[in-house]
Amino acid sequence: MLADLDEERPSASLYLFHPRIISIARRDDDGEVVWDSVETVDRVAVKIQISKQRTVISAINSPRSVKFVDALMSELCQGGRYFFESMEIDEALVKKHVSRFDTARLVSAKVRDFAVYEGAVGRFEVTSKNGLMENIAPLLQGKYYKMDSLTYEVTHKFSSFLVTYMNGGGIKINEDYLDLLLPTFERLL
């Protein structure tokens, strides 16, 4: 792990080197395909932002696995005991965040657990390049549902980009806009 601490604010940037095994195919001398396992290393950028209420750990382009989270927390806590809970991103937090940009319109939503009829729940995705209704779809009005992901088309300071918020704590965005998006999101937490 390599770290860069900011002495003026309670934050740090670091890289975590995370080993993993991948399978590769190669041809042997006879021309037959042979599969091998090879160990490789992922370099993951991690930002730590500390406020009075909480500590936010942001892993940029990290592997989506419990093993990675365990390796990250073990390294940060240096063998101490810890409890980790992924942040759940909800619609209220997303709306608060996208309101910080010049314009934002919902273009895709994945929802689950909405009541279709007695004893049956549904899951669906709705997408429109023209933008979705604020309440996503008429069939959801007045019904309970959970958000899986929301994708917004955002325009800010002459730039347009897509940002996807996933309820399990993940945000997908083009790396070019990371410095604009991540700090504004962390300040809301």
Side-chain angles (χ1 to χ4, degrees), residues 10 49-56 186-189:
Q49 185 71 36
I50 301 169
S51 68
K52 292 177 184 174
Q53 292 85 13
R54 63 186 60 137
T55 299
V56 176
E186 289 173 337
R187 282 192 288 271
L188 289 175
L189 303 175

Side-chain angles (χ1 to χ4, degrees), residues 66-85:
V66 173
K67 187 175 179 181
F68 170 76
V69 172
D70 188 47
L72 173 63
M73 294 306 293
S74 293
E75 193 68 36
L76 292 176
C77 297
Q78 297 187 350
R81 297 176 68 189
Y82 63 88
F83 173 76
F84 176 82
E85 184 174 351

Side-chain angles (χ1 to χ4, degrees), residues 9-140:
R9 333 180 271 151
S11 68
S13 297
L14 55 100
Y15 287 103
L16 179 69
F17 297 93
H18 179 66
R20 68 182 170 108
I21 305 284
I22 61 171
S23 295
I24 62 166
R26 61 178 178 80
R27 295 202 182 272
D28 64 10
D29 294 337
D30 297 330
E32 293 195 34
V33 176
V34 179
W35 287 90
D36 281 329
S37 295
V38 177
E39 186 171 63
T40 186
V41 176
D42 290 323
R43 183 181 87 157
V44 179
V46 177
K47 283 184 61 183
I48 302 170
Q49 185 71 36
I50 301 169
S51 68
K52 292 177 184 174
Q53 292 85 13
R54 63 186 60 137
T55 299
V56 176
I57 302 168
S58 302
I60 315 301
N61 292 327
S62 65
R64 292 171 44 185
S65 70
V66 173
K67 187 175 179 181
F68 170 76
V69 172
D70 188 47
L72 173 63
M73 294 306 293
S74 293
E75 193 68 36
L76 292 176
C77 297
Q78 297 187 350
R81 297 176 68 189
Y82 63 88
F83 173 76
F84 176 82
E85 184 174 351
S86 294
M87 175 185 68
E88 186 171 322
I89 297 177
D90 60 12
E91 287 180 80
L93 179 61
V94 170
K95 287 179 182 178
K96 204 186 286 186
H97 187 239
V98 297
S99 72
R100 309 239 169 176
F101 303 107
D102 294 341
T103 63
R105 67 180 175 164
L106 181 63
V107 293
S108 180
K110 289 183 184 179
V111 298
R112 61 183 166 91
D113 298 347
F114 70 93
V116 178
Y117 55 83
E118 182 75 31
V121 295
R123 168 182 297 202
F124 79 97
E125 177 178 1
V126 59
T127 302
S128 172
K129 66 180 180 175
N130 298 324
L132 301 177
M133 300 169 53
E134 189 64 28
N135 55 4
I136 301 174
L139 62 105
L140 292 177

Side-chain angles (χ1 to χ4, degrees), residues 174-189:
N174 182 310
E175 219 170 286
D176 297 339
Y177 303 105
L178 191 60
D179 291 338
L180 169 69
L181 181 109
L182 194 55
T184 58
F185 189 75
E186 289 173 337
R187 282 192 288 271
L188 289 175
L189 303 175

